[in-house]
Amino acid sequence: LSTTLASETNFQQLLKCLLSELQEVTHASGGIIYLYNSDKLALQPAQAQWDGNFLPASDSLGDVAYPASSAHPMQLVLQQPDNTVEIDAALMQQWFPSLGSVSSKMTLLALPLNDRKGLLLGVLLLFVDEQRQPLNAELKGFARALSGTAAVALHTQSLIEEQKNLLEAFIQLLAGAID
């Protein structure tokens, strides 16, 4: 996973890879990556996957204010010591309608994606049907470790994008000065 994350240069592909790998490791039915937007003080859906199919991170998932008190399941799960909470099918349909219909309870596992300074980059939400695959302490710990590696890859990729944008702006400034 580390090699794959380090070698991926396309940010959207990096998000897909990250989501697929962590979903596979935890045997989750689906997952959503939310990225933090400091201008809006919100976590915004960037990538979603359900039953092996990538879904558009549409407006139906919606932004989640952060930090803020909210009834959104992600806010609730981030407040839990083990970052897990059980939600029923009705709540799944209410908060995550674009994932499709769910007939049983799901365990929501939230993996905060923090940079080296501890600043929040985003949150990876995984939906696990514990009737099919129980989430034990070892599996949660392994997923947290992988999410740390993923956070470093996301941070590195965002720094590279910022450098590209800065270089492009500098080139345009020079081109304007030459003209």
Side-chain angles (χ1 to χ4, degrees):
L1 177 64
S2 295
T3 306
T4 303
L5 292 177
S7 65
E8 186 57 63
T9 58
N10 180 298
F11 191 69
Q12 289 303 315
Q13 284 302 114
L14 177 67
L15 293 175
K16 284 182 177 182
C17 175
L18 168 63
L19 190 54
S20 291
E21 292 293 330
L22 279 161
Q23 189 174 339
E24 186 177 324
V25 164
T26 59
H27 307 284
S29 299
I32 305 169
I33 295 177
Y34 287 87
L35 296 178
Y36 183 63
N37 182 326
S38 59
D39 294 335
K40 293 185 176 183
L41 295 176
L43 289 158
Q44 298 179 305
Q47 191 62 247
Q49 185 176 8
W50 190 259
D51 284 334
N53 299 313
F54 286 102
L55 308 170
S58 65
D59 294 333
S60 66
L61 290 172
D63 295 355
V64 179
Y66 186 87
S69 59
S70 167
H72 193 283
M74 183 168 40
Q75 293 285 17
L76 300 175
V77 73
L78 287 171
Q79 295 169 8
Q80 300 302 314
D82 68 347
N83 292 85
T84 60
V85 70
E86 216 175 72
I87 61 173
D88 62 23
L91 276 176
M92 281 288 295
Q93 198 60 40
Q94 176 185 347
W95 292 103
F96 309 103
S98 62
L99 297 182
S101 63
V102 177
S103 58
S104 63
K105 287 183 180 179
M106 298 294 260
T107 297
L108 204 56
L109 171 62
L111 300 167
L113 303 170
N114 298 313
D115 68 7
R116 291 180 181 109
K117 295 178 184 175
L119 298 173
L120 185 71
L121 301 172
V123 175
L124 176 62
L125 267 182
L126 295 169
F127 302 90
V128 181
D129 182 353
E130 289 204 70
Q131 293 174 349
R132 289 189 314 169
Q133 175 66 43
L135 266 178
N136 58 36
E138 292 81 19
L139 192 55
K140 288 179 194 175
F142 186 58
R144 282 189 190 92
L146 287 177
S147 71
T149 301
V152 169
L154 282 174
H155 184 65
T156 302
Q157 189 72 335
S158 68
L159 289 175
I160 290 170
E161 285 298 314
E162 287 175 14
Q163 285 180 338
K164 284 179 182 178
N165 293 339
L166 184 62
L167 181 61
E168 181 64 32
F170 185 68
I171 290 170
Q172 292 197 3
L173 178 69
L174 285 176
I178 291 172
D179 288 341

